[in-house]
Amino acid sequence: MARLLVVVPSDTDPPTRLGEWLSDAGLELDERRLSTGEPLPADLTGHDGLLVLGGPQSSLDSAEVSPELVGVRHLLGQALAADVPTLAICLGAQLLAQVGGGSTRVGADGPEVGATLVAKRDAADADPVFGPLPLSPDVLEWHHDEIDRLPPGSTLLASNPAYPNQAYRVGQHVYGLQFHIETDEPLVRQWAEGDPVGVASSGLDLETVCARAAAVHPDLAEIWAPFAGRFAALVRARAGARAAGG
């Protein structure tokens, strides 16, 4: 079975529904929760893909502030170098941008929080993972930093008016999503209760943020579960190629 290394930088952002979709698509998930001290592997040997989730840490944190992110950056660098199928979400996407030669900063227009839409760019139509998505898919945003410069040579796949770098691909198989697709209702409520600054930036109260997220969660599943299946197909293909080569 194809093995996916799942890096969970914080228990506040577990794989949740995304983990279920990837398992349903035939992947074996090797989950490493950094907040409980679970070690990361030194490299991606023995894994056919990589998933890096989000967390309250900042991509701008030094090694002294967030030492757990040092190993995450190392693995993302390996994935980029070998074009290993990778899905990096929110904090993960920001770290990926940095490792690939782009940059991040504190969001110029403040936090982006809550249910919203992104718009596919023309380049997404030819992408095997993004191509079948609707033109303006529902997403869940929850970030204070932004990706202000994509890695050189990357392909922008989705944008919105708030922050343009919403989804991108580096190489052929490495993807970054600034937004979230993995959430469920309890997770959004946990984030809202723990981030009054982010909620206030939305111009809505906590209950409205949670209610609007709850309203789009069925659409998120309808749109993004098949997306997860298409990403899983890349991981399975790499596993097959490795088996044939070995």
Side-chain angles (χ1 to χ4, degrees), residues 75-110:
L75 290 173
L76 286 168
Q78 288 202 344
L80 281 172
D83 199 32
V84 175
T86 297
L87 187 58
I89 293 177
C90 199
L91 173 63
Q94 294 167 2
L95 296 173
L96 175 64
Q98 292 176 338
V99 170
S103 61
T104 65
R105 65 185 181 187
V106 175
D109 293 324

mmCIF file of all heavy atoms in Angstrom, residues 75-110:
data_model
loop_
_atom_site.group_PDB
_atom_site.id
_atom_site.type_symbol
_atom_site.label_atom_id
_atom_site.label_comp_id
_atom_site.label_asym_id
_atom_site.label_seq_id
_atom_site.Cartn_x
_atom_site.Cartn_y
_atom_site.Cartn_z
ATOM 1 N N LEU A 75 12.036 18.196 5.399
ATOM 2 C CA LEU A 75 11.280 17.237 4.598
ATOM 3 C C LEU A 75 10.654 17.899 3.370
ATOM 4 O O LEU A 75 10.617 17.303 2.285
ATOM 5 C CB LEU A 75 10.196 16.586 5.451
ATOM 6 C CG LEU A 75 10.691 15.621 6.530
ATOM 7 C CD1 LEU A 75 9.532 15.173 7.406
ATOM 8 C CD2 LEU A 75 11.392 14.415 5.917
ATOM 9 N N LEU A 76 10.161 19.122 3.516
ATOM 10 C CA LEU A 76 9.617 19.835 2.365
ATOM 11 C C LEU A 76 10.702 20.084 1.316
ATOM 12 O O LEU A 76 10.438 19.985 0.112
ATOM 13 C CB LEU A 76 8.991 21.156 2.806
ATOM 14 C CG LEU A 76 7.652 21.045 3.535
ATOM 15 C CD1 LEU A 76 7.273 22.379 4.171
ATOM 16 C CD2 LEU A 76 6.550 20.576 2.583
ATOM 17 N N GLY A 77 11.914 20.384 1.767
ATOM 18 C CA GLY A 77 13.017 20.551 0.831
ATOM 19 C C GLY A 77 13.321 19.265 0.076
ATOM 20 O O GLY A 77 13.587 19.286 -1.136
ATOM 21 N N GLN A 78 13.273 18.142 0.776
ATOM 22 C CA GLN A 78 13.484 16.856 0.109
ATOM 23 C C GLN A 78 12.378 16.571 -0.898
ATOM 24 O O GLN A 78 12.639 16.070 -2.006
ATOM 25 C CB GLN A 78 13.526 15.740 1.148
ATOM 26 C CG GLN A 78 14.779 15.724 1.994
ATOM 27 C CD GLN A 78 15.019 14.346 2.587
ATOM 28 O OE1 GLN A 78 14.130 13.516 2.605
ATOM 29 N NE2 GLN A 78 16.226 14.104 3.052
ATOM 30 N N ALA A 79 11.143 16.862 -0.510
ATOM 31 C CA ALA A 79 10.027 16.639 -1.419
ATOM 32 C C ALA A 79 10.167 17.481 -2.685
ATOM 33 O O ALA A 79 9.916 16.998 -3.801
ATOM 34 C CB ALA A 79 8.707 16.944 -0.710
ATOM 35 N N LEU A 80 10.577 18.724 -2.528
ATOM 36 C CA LEU A 80 10.786 19.584 -3.691
ATOM 37 C C LEU A 80 11.898 19.049 -4.584
ATOM 38 O O LEU A 80 11.756 19.001 -5.808
ATOM 39 C CB LEU A 80 11.133 21.002 -3.231
ATOM 40 C CG LEU A 80 9.986 21.887 -2.783
ATOM 41 C CD1 LEU A 80 10.523 23.179 -2.177
ATOM 42 C CD2 LEU A 80 9.060 22.197 -3.949
ATOM 43 N N ALA A 81 12.989 18.641 -3.975
ATOM 44 C CA ALA A 81 14.138 18.175 -4.751
ATOM 45 C C ALA A 81 13.810 16.939 -5.570
ATOM 46 O O ALA A 81 14.299 16.771 -6.694
ATOM 47 C CB ALA A 81 15.317 17.906 -3.820
ATOM 48 N N ALA A 82 12.970 16.053 -5.022
ATOM 49 C CA ALA A 82 12.650 14.789 -5.696
ATOM 50 C C ALA A 82 11.268 14.802 -6.340
ATOM 51 O O ALA A 82 10.845 13.780 -6.884
ATOM 52 C CB ALA A 82 12.754 13.634 -4.702
ATOM 53 N N ASP A 83 10.557 15.920 -6.274
ATOM 54 C CA ASP A 83 9.205 16.047 -6.807
ATOM 55 C C ASP A 83 8.285 14.955 -6.254
ATOM 56 O O ASP A 83 7.499 14.343 -6.983
ATOM 57 C CB ASP A 83 9.217 16.020 -8.335
ATOM 58 C CG ASP A 83 7.945 16.610 -8.949
ATOM 59 O OD1 ASP A 83 7.369 17.530 -8.334
ATOM 60 O OD2 ASP A 83 7.521 16.131 -10.020
ATOM 61 N N VAL A 84 8.377 14.726 -4.944
ATOM 62 C CA VAL A 84 7.527 13.756 -4.268
ATOM 63 C C VAL A 84 6.125 14.331 -4.145
ATOM 64 O O VAL A 84 5.969 15.500 -3.759
ATOM 65 C CB VAL A 84 8.094 13.431 -2.869
ATOM 66 C CG1 VAL A 84 7.157 12.517 -2.092
ATOM 67 C CG2 VAL A 84 9.472 12.801 -2.987
ATOM 68 N N PRO A 85 5.068 13.579 -4.455
ATOM 69 C CA PRO A 85 3.713 14.114 -4.289
ATOM 70 C C PRO A 85 3.496 14.674 -2.885
ATOM 71 O O PRO A 85 3.660 13.962 -1.890
ATOM 72 C CB PRO A 85 2.829 12.892 -4.544
ATOM 73 C CG PRO A 85 3.627 12.051 -5.483
ATOM 74 C CD PRO A 85 5.055 12.222 -5.020
ATOM 75 N N THR A 86 3.170 15.946 -2.822
ATOM 76 C CA THR A 86 3.095 16.665 -1.548
ATOM 77 C C THR A 86 1.880 17.570 -1.557
ATOM 78 O O THR A 86 1.570 18.211 -2.567
ATOM 79 C CB THR A 86 4.368 17.504 -1.321
ATOM 80 O OG1 THR A 86 5.497 16.637 -1.222
ATOM 81 C CG2 THR A 86 4.264 18.357 -0.061
ATOM 82 N N LEU A 87 1.206 17.618 -0.409
ATOM 83 C CA LEU A 87 0.099 18.550 -0.200
ATOM 84 C C LEU A 87 0.392 19.295 1.096
ATOM 85 O O LEU A 87 0.446 18.689 2.168
ATOM 86 C CB LEU A 87 -1.228 17.801 -0.104
ATOM 87 C CG LEU A 87 -2.502 18.631 -0.054
ATOM 88 C CD1 LEU A 87 -2.627 19.540 -1.266
ATOM 89 C CD2 LEU A 87 -3.720 17.724 0.070
ATOM 90 N N ALA A 88 0.634 20.592 0.991
ATOM 91 C CA ALA A 88 0.985 21.424 2.141
ATOM 92 C C ALA A 88 -0.120 22.446 2.352
ATOM 93 O O ALA A 88 -0.460 23.192 1.424
ATOM 94 C CB ALA A 88 2.324 22.120 1.904
ATOM 95 N N ILE A 89 -0.683 22.477 3.556
ATOM 96 C CA ILE A 89 -1.883 23.260 3.838
ATOM 97 C C ILE A 89 -1.597 24.367 4.843
ATOM 98 O O ILE A 89 -1.011 24.120 5.901
ATOM 99 C CB ILE A 89 -3.005 22.330 4.350
ATOM 100 C CG1 ILE A 89 -3.447 21.388 3.224
ATOM 101 C CG2 ILE A 89 -4.187 23.120 4.892
ATOM 102 C CD1 ILE A 89 -4.489 20.388 3.625
ATOM 103 N N CYS A 90 -2.004 25.581 4.524
ATOM 104 C CA CYS A 90 -1.915 26.761 5.383
ATOM 105 C C CYS A 90 -0.475 26.994 5.845
ATOM 106 O O CYS A 90 0.361 27.390 5.044
ATOM 107 C CB CYS A 90 -2.902 26.668 6.540
ATOM 108 S SG CYS A 90 -3.230 28.296 7.293
ATOM 109 N N LEU A 91 -0.160 26.747 7.115
ATOM 110 C CA LEU A 91 1.227 26.868 7.565
ATOM 111 C C LEU A 91 2.142 26.031 6.691
ATOM 112 O O LEU A 91 3.244 26.467 6.318
ATOM 113 C CB LEU A 91 1.340 26.437 9.027
ATOM 114 C CG LEU A 91 2.756 26.348 9.609
ATOM 115 C CD1 LEU A 91 3.438 27.711 9.620
ATOM 116 C CD2 LEU A 91 2.716 25.749 11.020
ATOM 117 N N GLY A 92 1.703 24.831 6.346
ATOM 118 C CA GLY A 92 2.511 23.983 5.478
ATOM 119 C C GLY A 92 2.805 24.634 4.146
ATOM 120 O O GLY A 92 3.930 24.569 3.636
ATOM 121 N N ALA A 93 1.804 25.298 3.557
ATOM 122 C CA ALA A 93 1.990 25.968 2.274
ATOM 123 C C ALA A 93 2.941 27.154 2.397
ATOM 124 O O ALA A 93 3.704 27.458 1.473
ATOM 125 C CB ALA A 93 0.647 26.433 1.725
ATOM 126 N N GLN A 94 2.894 27.841 3.538
ATOM 127 C CA GLN A 94 3.804 28.964 3.757
ATOM 128 C C GLN A 94 5.239 28.482 3.912
ATOM 129 O O GLN A 94 6.172 29.067 3.356
ATOM 130 C CB GLN A 94 3.344 29.746 4.984
ATOM 131 C CG GLN A 94 1.994 30.418 4.792
ATOM 132 C CD GLN A 94 1.392 30.921 6.093
ATOM 133 O OE1 GLN A 94 1.985 30.811 7.157
ATOM 134 N NE2 GLN A 94 0.190 31.472 6.006
ATOM 135 N N LEU A 95 5.435 27.389 4.664
ATOM 136 C CA LEU A 95 6.774 26.822 4.802
ATOM 137 C C LEU A 95 7.292 26.329 3.455
ATOM 138 O O LEU A 95 8.474 26.506 3.122
ATOM 139 C CB LEU A 95 6.757 25.676 5.815
ATOM 140 C CG LEU A 95 6.394 26.048 7.251
ATOM 141 C CD1 LEU A 95 6.251 24.787 8.097
ATOM 142 C CD2 LEU A 95 7.434 26.985 7.861
ATOM 143 N N LEU A 96 6.406 25.708 2.670
ATOM 144 C CA LEU A 96 6.794 25.234 1.344
ATOM 145 C C LEU A 96 7.254 26.396 0.472
ATOM 146 O O LEU A 96 8.262 26.281 -0.246
ATOM 147 C CB LEU A 96 5.617 24.508 0.694
ATOM 148 C CG LEU A 96 5.796 24.048 -0.747
ATOM 149 C CD1 LEU A 96 6.896 23.008 -0.850
ATOM 150 C CD2 LEU A 96 4.477 23.506 -1.296
ATOM 151 N N ALA A 97 6.527 27.500 0.529
ATOM 152 C CA ALA A 97 6.918 28.668 -0.266
ATOM 153 C C ALA A 97 8.310 29.143 0.133
ATOM 154 O O ALA A 97 9.153 29.433 -0.736
ATOM 155 C CB ALA A 97 5.897 29.788 -0.090
ATOM 156 N N GLN A 98 8.572 29.215 1.416
ATOM 157 C CA GLN A 98 9.886 29.648 1.880
ATOM 158 C C GLN A 98 10.985 28.700 1.416
ATOM 159 O O GLN A 98 12.023 29.127 0.893
ATOM 160 C CB GLN A 98 9.900 29.744 3.403
ATOM 161 C CG GLN A 98 9.045 30.849 3.982
ATOM 162 C CD GLN A 98 9.030 30.811 5.503
ATOM 163 O OE1 GLN A 98 9.293 29.779 6.111
ATOM 164 N NE2 GLN A 98 8.710 31.935 6.112
ATOM 165 N N VAL A 99 10.760 27.410 1.614
ATOM 166 C CA VAL A 99 11.774 26.417 1.256
ATOM 167 C C VAL A 99 12.063 26.443 -0.246
ATOM 168 O O VAL A 99 13.196 26.243 -0.680
ATOM 169 C CB VAL A 99 11.318 25.011 1.701
ATOM 170 C CG1 VAL A 99 12.221 23.927 1.142
ATOM 171 C CG2 VAL A 99 11.280 24.924 3.221
ATOM 172 N N GLY A 100 11.012 26.735 -1.033
ATOM 173 C CA GLY A 100 11.180 26.756 -2.474
ATOM 174 C C GLY A 100 11.774 28.032 -3.025
ATOM 175 O O GLY A 100 11.977 28.145 -4.239
ATOM 176 N N GLY A 101 12.050 29.013 -2.162
ATOM 177 C CA GLY A 101 12.656 30.254 -2.618
ATOM 178 C C GLY A 101 11.708 31.426 -2.689
ATOM 179 O O GLY A 101 12.090 32.514 -3.138
ATOM 180 N N GLY A 102 10.447 31.219 -2.247
ATOM 181 C CA GLY A 102 9.515 32.331 -2.136
ATOM 182 C C GLY A 102 9.612 32.966 -0.762
ATOM 183 O O GLY A 102 10.605 32.788 -0.051
ATOM 184 N N SER A 103 8.567 33.676 -0.349
ATOM 185 C CA SER A 103 8.629 34.329 0.952
ATOM 186 C C SER A 103 7.229 34.524 1.519
ATOM 187 O O SER A 103 6.223 34.488 0.798
ATOM 188 C CB SER A 103 9.336 35.689 0.853
ATOM 189 O OG SER A 103 8.646 36.565 -0.022
ATOM 190 N N THR A 104 7.186 34.742 2.829
ATOM 191 C CA THR A 104 5.940 35.017 3.534
ATOM 192 C C THR A 104 6.121 36.266 4.392
ATOM 193 O O THR A 104 7.240 36.707 4.635
ATOM 194 C CB THR A 104 5.528 33.828 4.425
ATOM 195 O OG1 THR A 104 6.511 33.666 5.455
ATOM 196 C CG2 THR A 104 5.420 32.541 3.625
ATOM 197 N N ARG A 105 5.004 36.802 4.844
ATOM 198 C CA ARG A 105 5.027 37.961 5.731
ATOM 199 C C ARG A 105 3.707 37.994 6.492
ATOM 200 O O ARG A 105 2.765 37.261 6.164
ATOM 201 C CB ARG A 105 5.200 39.247 4.930
ATOM 202 C CG ARG A 105 4.027 39.550 3.999
ATOM 203 C CD ARG A 105 4.293 40.766 3.125
ATOM 204 N NE ARG A 105 3.135 41.054 2.266
ATOM 205 C CZ ARG A 105 3.144 41.969 1.311
ATOM 206 N NH1 ARG A 105 4.236 42.683 1.072
ATOM 207 N NH2 ARG A 105 2.058 42.169 0.579
ATOM 208 N N VAL A 106 3.650 38.844 7.499
ATOM 209 C CA VAL A 106 2.371 39.071 8.170
ATOM 210 C C VAL A 106 1.395 39.634 7.140
ATOM 211 O O VAL A 106 1.746 40.500 6.338
ATOM 212 C CB VAL A 106 2.541 40.033 9.354
ATOM 213 C CG1 VAL A 106 1.193 40.362 9.974
ATOM 214 C CG2 VAL A 106 3.475 39.427 10.397
ATOM 215 N N GLY A 107 0.182 39.103 7.122
ATOM 216 C CA GLY A 107 -0.786 39.489 6.099
ATOM 217 C C GLY A 107 -0.969 40.991 6.020
ATOM 218 O O GLY A 107 -1.313 41.632 7.024
ATOM 219 N N ALA A 108 -0.771 41.547 4.844
ATOM 220 C CA ALA A 108 -0.821 43.004 4.679
ATOM 221 C C ALA A 108 -2.202 43.565 5.007
ATOM 222 O O ALA A 108 -2.321 44.706 5.460
ATOM 223 C CB ALA A 108 -0.431 43.364 3.250
ATOM 224 N N ASP A 109 -3.254 42.788 4.788
ATOM 225 C CA ASP A 109 -4.615 43.248 5.052
ATOM 226 C C ASP A 109 -5.236 42.546 6.248
ATOM 227 O O ASP A 109 -6.467 42.490 6.372
ATOM 228 C CB ASP A 109 -5.483 43.045 3.807
ATOM 229 C CG ASP A 109 -5.059 43.952 2.658
ATOM 230 O OD1 ASP A 109 -4.656 45.100 2.932
ATOM 231 O OD2 ASP A 109 -5.115 43.516 1.505
ATOM 232 N N GLY A 110 -4.396 42.022 7.132
ATOM 233 C CA GLY A 110 -4.899 41.385 8.337
ATOM 234 C C GLY A 110 -5.268 39.932 8.113
ATOM 235 O O GLY A 110 -5.134 39.398 7.013
#
